Amino acid sequence: MMSSDDDDVEPRLRAVQSYYFVDDDDAPVSFDVLPFQFDAAEEVPSFKKDVYLRGLADGGLQNVYKQVVAWKLGLDGDSPVITVLCTEGSWIALLKPRPSYEETVRPVLVTVEMLHFVRRSPTVSEENMWGHLGRVFEYVLLDLFFSFLLSW
């Protein structure tokens, strides 16, 4: 059987779950330290710090370790989509963060969810918005409540 030129090409990575980001010292960082990309045609500004995406792809079968240079936000679908740009030029969607990393990115994720909700329902009341955020991040609020009780 003859092999094609595509046999040596790594399949295109589309999404990563159980993700987290680290800097050159392997210290956790939030992806929001990267430049935000408003438009795909826009040139990515240079960034002085190396940031790497770590996580799992293909249902946990593939370990991911990629250098990333920017991030962007998609608000048009049923849920918000955060993607990061690899140095190779492809965009990778972020699914669910690693549980130990959630606290690091929680403020960004809550803000993104709020922006998505307000974009879809611009005339909704503030009370409804907070109710929506409470439902989406219920597990986070429960964790905060129980950690408060345990520390008290």
Side-chain angles (χ1 to χ4, degrees):
M1 178 178 193
M2 295 183 67
S3 67
S4 71
D5 292 338
D6 292 339
D7 288 345
D8 294 332
V9 175
E10 190 174 316
R12 188 170 188 163
L13 186 60
R14 300 211 186 275
V16 173
Q17 63 194 23
S18 192
Y19 69 83
Y20 61 105
F21 292 84
V22 294
D23 62 14
D24 346 0
D25 300 323
D26 213 27
V29 295
S30 177
F31 59 84
D32 70 339
V33 301
L34 295 166
F36 185 81
Q37 187 86 11
F38 287 98
D39 184 359
E42 174 183 12
E43 185 177 325
V44 177
S46 63
F47 187 62
K48 298 190 183 351
K49 191 173 197 177
D50 290 341
V51 177
Y52 300 89
L53 167 64
R54 299 192 71 142
L56 301 171
D58 295 332
L61 298 175
Q62 179 185 3
N63 285 318
V64 174
Y65 185 76
K66 299 269 187 186
Q67 186 174 3
V68 293
V69 294
W71 71 289
K72 70 178 179 179
L73 178 59
L75 298 173
D76 294 331
D78 291 337
S79 58
V81 178
I82 300 169
T83 54
V84 290
L85 179 62
C86 293
T87 53
E88 297 96 22
S90 62
W91 288 94
I92 300 173
L94 302 178
L95 300 177
K96 184 158 175 53
R98 176 185 227 175
S100 62
Y101 182 71
E102 285 181 9
E103 188 172 322
T104 303
V105 292
R106 184 178 302 136
V108 178
L109 297 179
V110 170
T111 303
V112 164
E113 186 65 41
M114 183 206 62
L115 289 170
H116 181 259
F117 181 78
V118 169
R119 178 165 183 185
R120 290 181 59 118
S121 308
T123 59
V124 77
S125 71
E126 183 179 343
E127 183 179 319
N128 286 338
M129 181 195 65
W130 286 113
H132 169 75
L133 292 175
R135 286 186 298 281
V136 170
F137 294 99
E138 180 177 9
Y139 66 95
V140 172
L141 299 175
L142 287 175
D143 285 349
L144 289 172
F145 176 71
F146 287 123
S147 65
F148 170 75
L149 287 178
L150 292 174
S151 68
W152 192 55

